[in-house]
Amino acid sequence: MESPAVPAAAPPDDEASAFRALADPTRRQILEDLRGGELAAGAIASRFSISAPSISRHLGVLKGAGLVTERRDANRILYALAEERLALCVGRFLSTVCPEQIVLRNTTWRSAPEGDAS
């Protein structure tokens, strides 16, 4: 039986930890890799030329920032992107810094038909 995903460790208003986590290119790549869905820790590590313990530390930072969740499946640890947390942190920052751009982007996204890449 699968256990439920472990909730994000960071409080929702602690955006600084999210931005610290995003500062590292390896962690950003891990988040991109998780965009397609859950991955086991070993599968994530196999995508990089650095050691598995280093990847484990990166995953710990991402989890601590609330950007990924983890769940156990037998002897594997599966990681998933915490999309809502990431979107809230980055979106809140962007809406403060450049609110006009956020409005324009949302309007563009909503007006384009689904599947239209233009």
Side-chain angles (χ1 to χ4, degrees):
M1 184 170 154
E2 296 177 358
S3 60
V6 175
D13 60 346
D14 181 18
E15 293 172 3
S17 66
F19 282 101
R20 280 191 297 273
L22 291 171
D24 186 276
T26 300
R27 292 192 285 267
R28 289 192 307 269
Q29 184 60 54
I30 291 170
L31 293 175
E32 284 184 42
D33 291 347
L34 291 172
R35 186 177 54 180
E38 278 186 330
L39 289 172
I44 295 169
S46 71
R47 296 169 181 234
F48 294 90
S49 60
I50 60 177
S51 70
S54 291
I55 292 297
S56 183
R57 283 190 291 279
H58 284 297
L59 287 166
V61 170
L62 290 169
K63 182 182 169 204
L67 299 179
V68 299
T69 59
E70 72 174 26
R71 71 176 180 88
R72 288 203 170 268
D73 180 26
N75 64 344
R76 299 184 318 158
I77 300 175
L78 298 170
Y79 289 89
L81 181 62
E83 294 177 20
E84 187 173 326
R85 164 91 168 129
L86 179 59
L88 284 173
C89 288
V90 174
R92 212 176 350 249
F93 172 75
L94 288 176
S95 67
T96 301
V97 175
C98 52
E100 299 83 14
Q101 293 300 314
I102 297 302
V103 169
L104 291 174
R105 287 187 199 154
N106 286 339
T107 302
T108 303
W109 289 339
R110 288 188 183 129
S111 64
E114 241 181 63
D116 183 9
S118 56

